Amino acid sequence: MSDHVSRILEQWSTHRPDLDCSPMGVIGRIERMSKFLAPAIESLIHSFDLSRIEFDILATLRRSSGPLTPTQLYQDTMLSSGAMSTRLEHLVNKGWIKREPSPSDRRSCTIELTQTGRENIDAIVTKHVNNERDLLQSLNLEEQEQLASLLAKWLSHHENK
Amino acid sequence: MSDHVSRILEQWSTHRPDLDCSPMGVIGRIERMSKFLAPAIESLIHSFDLSRIEFDILATLRRSSGPLTPTQLYQDTMLSSGAMSTRLEHLVNKGWIKREPSPSDRRSCTIELTQTGRENIDAIVTKHVNNERDLLQSLNLEEQEQLASLLAKWLSHHENK
DNA sequence: TATTGTTATACTCTATAACTATA
DNA sequence: TATAGTTATAGAGTATAACAATA
């Protein structure tokens, strides 16, 4: 299994034999897989004139059980409030979402998909998931499950801190 | 093992029961782990007044068996030639590296760590690896190896394309 | 006083392409 | 003609903080 990171580890063991670099074998590969996936995923999303962040916002709205506020959205996506405002403005102008005043709190508003926004994101999400399935083909389903399970274990320890 | 992505998958199964979203269980978690790791790793590196890219350049030089050219460096780090020039200029000014004319090709130059650059990066790499080791503590060594092995398998299929 | 959301500002970083020099 | 490296330009995207309105 001679990948790029394994060659990096060999170089380190030659030039820094005092150092146990095995953590790089995990973290270096996580980062590297992430870097390979990004363009493959983004090229599909960009073909619908959406940035990755905008797609995430639309997908979050689609799978939620009702309208969300900008605050809920920027906390969920780890974005600043200012950046979220800019993104939402774009999505309103492009007809994806509608912004309406909150009935209970007059400082706030609710964000919701438009009719066509919902139809379009439904179609895109389907293509997106199939794209992801293709990208994972080099692992069989059992290996994919093992991988997901190990990542879930790590994440469950780090998300609530 | 109830992490954030598992809740996302539940939401999709409620609102899009027609869609098998299991690929998100892998790819969503890869991206999410990567997003959690980045600030933890960068905060150590930034404390030495280095960007992540600059650290990668210095580490590449440290583990290589001799001086490298800017072209070798930008291909290795997946950066554009222009961006690499800017980074190298910074690192020269800060005393990390030295740039010398290539003896064999007068268009080219060689990039090499300075004496103090090498000493400093040695110390930082040690701290960096220990930091990574800490970050992986929630998985035992066997799990870390399984994870590395699954990632290596995926990467070895995608790196030579 | 604290919170919600928007707007304005400045910053970081990058890719692109034009350019110089050499092969 | 092609390649190595640098420089200049412009663009995308963000965080920060100032701001207005409401709680």
Side-chain angles (χ1 to χ4, degrees), chain B residues 69-71 85 99 107-108:
Chain B
T69 65
T71 300
S85 277
R99 215 187 322 215
R107 292 170 305 181
S108 183

Side-chain angles (χ1 to χ4, degrees), chain A residues 69-71 85 99 107-108:
Chain A
T69 66
T71 299
S85 277
R99 217 186 323 213
R107 292 171 304 181
S108 183

Side-chain angles (χ1 to χ4, degrees), chain A residues 140-150, chain B residues 26:
Chain A
N140 64 42
L141 285 179
E142 190 189 337
E143 290 167 332
Q144 292 181 31
E145 272 179 38
Q146 283 176 5
L147 183 48
S149 163
L150 289 163
Chain B
V26 179

Side-chain angles (χ1 to χ4, degrees), chain B residues 56-102:
Chain B
D56 286 345
I57 293 169
L58 297 174
T60 302
L61 290 167
R62 177 60 184 88
R63 69 172 185 266
S64 84
S65 295
L68 298 173
T69 65
T71 300
Q72 290 174 314
L73 283 169
Y74 80 66
Q75 286 171 351
D76 200 85
T77 51
M78 295 171 164
L79 218 61
S80 70
S81 61
M84 181 55 69
S85 277
T86 310
R87 289 303 107 206
L88 294 177
E89 188 61 22
H90 273 236
L91 291 171
V92 169
N93 291 339
K94 290 196 227 160
W96 283 96
I97 60 174
K98 54 190 171 191
R99 215 187 322 215
E100 282 173 5
S102 161

